[in-house]
Amino acid sequence: MDQVFKALSDGTRREMIERLTRGPASVGELAQPLSMSLPAVMQHLQVLEASGLVRSEKAGRVRTCHLEPDGLRLAEEWLGGQRTGWEHRLDRLGGFLDSDEGNRS
């Protein structure tokens, strides 16, 4: 999971993930809106692949990238668990503060 969050910590990689949510794309298509060299784009893709968020396949001279939803699901489940825990804590705090105000009146 550390690799997933490391991969998502970079804005360029998040932009690539966002593009891939609309369907597979070639490396050239992913690189087009970015202001960086193709080797730099490839380095970002390597990080995404190593984290399990993206897979790519080469057909002839074209490398096509695909989103791997299971990698994102892992992060989503962890974040969901964290959110549930914090919501519970905040609900308890709200209840405590409400009861404390009632005790002061």
Side-chain angles (χ1 to χ4, degrees), residues 20-62:
L20 291 172
T21 62
R22 297 189 303 268
S26 69
V27 173
E29 290 170 332
L30 289 174
Q32 185 180 13
L34 305 172
S35 57
M36 63 178 61
S37 67
L38 198 55
V41 169
M42 290 301 296
Q43 287 180 335
H44 283 292
L45 284 171
Q46 287 172 349
V47 172
L48 290 169
E49 286 190 73
S51 71
L53 292 171
V54 170
R55 72 176 163 81
S56 68
E57 54 193 28
K58 192 170 184 178
R61 297 180 69 197
V62 177

Side-chain angles (χ1 to χ4, degrees), residues 43-98:
Q43 287 180 335
H44 283 292
L45 284 171
Q46 287 172 349
V47 172
L48 290 169
E49 286 190 73
S51 71
L53 292 171
V54 170
R55 72 176 163 81
S56 68
E57 54 193 28
K58 192 170 184 178
R61 297 180 69 197
V62 177
R63 179 169 294 281
T64 303
C65 301
H66 305 265
L67 188 62
E68 284 292 327
D70 288 342
L72 287 174
R73 228 174 262 123
L74 177 67
E76 180 183 20
E77 288 171 5
W78 185 84
L79 289 169
Q82 296 300 308
R83 180 179 53 240
T84 300
W86 278 106
E87 286 172 351
H88 180 69
R89 288 179 191 98
L90 290 172
D91 288 345
R92 284 189 3 221
L93 176 61
F96 172 78
L97 293 174
D98 288 344

